């Protein structure tokens, strides 16, 4: 059974780069596609982007210029980088497994909280 | 930019039936948007309920069902339990990406 665990710094300074990792256990990361989703305090969920097992990516147009999603198959990890962060990037960040048949997320990590503040 | 719309809040009595909807600010939702539904309780990660309009995810009770009603996707809870009081989000597949609705806060009382 695939399980996901997000990790990374809980505090990032404005204008710096937010870097998070999603560690996959119970399955090979290279067999599936992966998504990052975030939720600002008291707000709804926002899709950040997907990475496919081919290595190609698709990003939310609103974030595309600042986001990079990648996979490290040797570590069975998926990573998210968001550049030039501002307090508006403060959120709980979730990774999930994504299926391109019927286009949905199924397994979710518990999420990790990131605060952007000086 | 097309927005995915959901009722901000809804209330249902225990044992009652409630239908939450998911629409578009411009146009109609059809099965070609592959609507999916997610449940989230405060402080927890989302849980996948429904995908491909009406397919229940593994382990999801039969009281949850999905459909297309008119020009919207719909999530129906039949025989609501107190534990069903949560936030519910729909997601549509559009333009190669995923767009979340704003969520519906469901109260069971």
């Amino acid at each position: 059974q695939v399980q996901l665990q997000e990790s990374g710094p809980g505090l990032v300074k404005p204008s710096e780069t937010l870097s998070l990792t999603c560690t996959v256990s119970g399955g090979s990361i290279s067999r599936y596609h992966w998504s990052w989703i975030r939720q600002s305090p008291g707000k709804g969920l926002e899709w950040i982007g997907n990475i496919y097992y081919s290595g190609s990516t698709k990003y939310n147009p609103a974030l595309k210029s600042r986001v990079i999603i990648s996979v490290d198959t040797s570590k069975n990890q998926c990573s998210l980088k968001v550049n030039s962060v501002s307090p508006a990037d403060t959120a709980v960040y979730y990774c999930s497994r994504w299926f391109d048949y019927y286009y949905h997320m199924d397994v979710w990590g518990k999420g990790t909280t990131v605060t952007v503040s000086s | 930019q097309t927005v995915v719309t959901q009722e901000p809040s809804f209330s249902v009595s225990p044992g009652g039936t409630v239908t939450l909807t998911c629409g578009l600010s411009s146009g109609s939702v059809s099965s070609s948007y592959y609507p999916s539904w997610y449940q989230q309780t405060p402080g927890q990660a989302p849980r996948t309920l429904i995908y491909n309009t009406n397919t229940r995810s593994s382990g999801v009770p039969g009281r949850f069902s999905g459909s297309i009603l008119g020009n919207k996707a719909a999530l129906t809870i039949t025989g609501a339990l107190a534990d069903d009081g949560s936030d519910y989000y729909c997601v549509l597949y559009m333009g190669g990406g995923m767009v979340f609705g704003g969520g519906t806060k469901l109260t069971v009382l």
Side-chain angles (χ1 to χ4, degrees):
Chain A
Q1 179 176 341
V2 170
Q3 293 184 314
L4 312 178
Q5 178 65 62
E6 304 89 345
S7 59
L11 181 64
V12 181
K13 289 182 169 54
S15 80
E16 295 189 344
T17 296
L18 177 163
S19 296
L20 299 176
T21 298
C22 174
T23 300
V24 178
S25 58
S28 172
I29 196 168
S30 59
R31 292 186 59 194
Y32 300 101
H33 314 305
W34 305 95
S35 294
W36 283 94
I37 297 98
R38 71 181 184 178
Q39 185 170 35
S40 300
K43 303 291 187 181
L45 298 163
E46 179 182 32
W47 174 70
I48 299 171
N50 290 350
I51 186 164
Y52 305 94
Y53 55 56
S54 64
S56 63
T57 53
K58 181 74 174 180
Y59 299 125
N60 183 328
L63 300 169
K64 183 178 181 179
S65 64
R66 299 193 294 123
V67 170
I68 298 175
I69 298 175
S70 60
V71 162
D72 185 335
T73 55
S74 67
K75 295 181 179 179
N76 230 35
Q77 292 177 336
C78 178
S79 295
L80 170 70
K81 293 186 186 300
V82 182
N83 302 319
S84 304
V85 298
S86 72
D89 294 307
T90 294
V92 177
Y93 286 77
Y94 297 99
C95 65
S96 69
R97 187 171 65 176
W98 190 78
F99 283 93
D100 66 350
Y101 64 90
Y102 307 141
Y103 307 110
H104 66 287
M105 287 74 76
D106 72 338
V107 180
W108 294 73
K110 293 182 178 182
T112 188
T113 299
V114 177
T115 300
V116 179
S117 174
S118 55
Chain B
Q1 182 179 351
T2 301
V3 175
V4 178
T5 61
Q6 295 185 248
E7 299 89 355
S9 62
F10 231 115
S11 183
V12 63
S13 299
T17 296
V18 62
T19 297
L20 312 181
T21 68
C22 174
L24 288 171
S25 58
S26 176
S28 299
V29 177
S30 67
S31 58
S32 63
Y33 286 94
Y34 298 92
S36 53
W37 293 88
Y38 304 85
Q39 177 191 48
Q40 187 183 36
T41 54
Q44 301 297 314
R47 168 197 182 196
T48 304
L49 293 177
I50 300 284
Y51 63 92
N52 190 32
T53 304
N54 56 16
T55 303
R56 275 188 297 277
S57 190
S58 176
V60 174
R63 65 180 183 274
F64 293 93
S65 62
S67 64
I68 298 290
L69 288 180
N71 62 351
K72 296 182 179 182
L75 172 70
T76 299
I77 306 173
T78 303
L81 304 178
D83 284 350
D84 294 336
S86 301
D87 295 326
Y88 292 86
Y89 294 91
C90 73
V91 175
L92 302 180
Y93 178 69
M94 295 195 295
M98 315 298 287
V99 182
F100 280 85
T104 297
K105 182 177 183 63
L106 179 67
T107 301
V108 181
L109 53 72

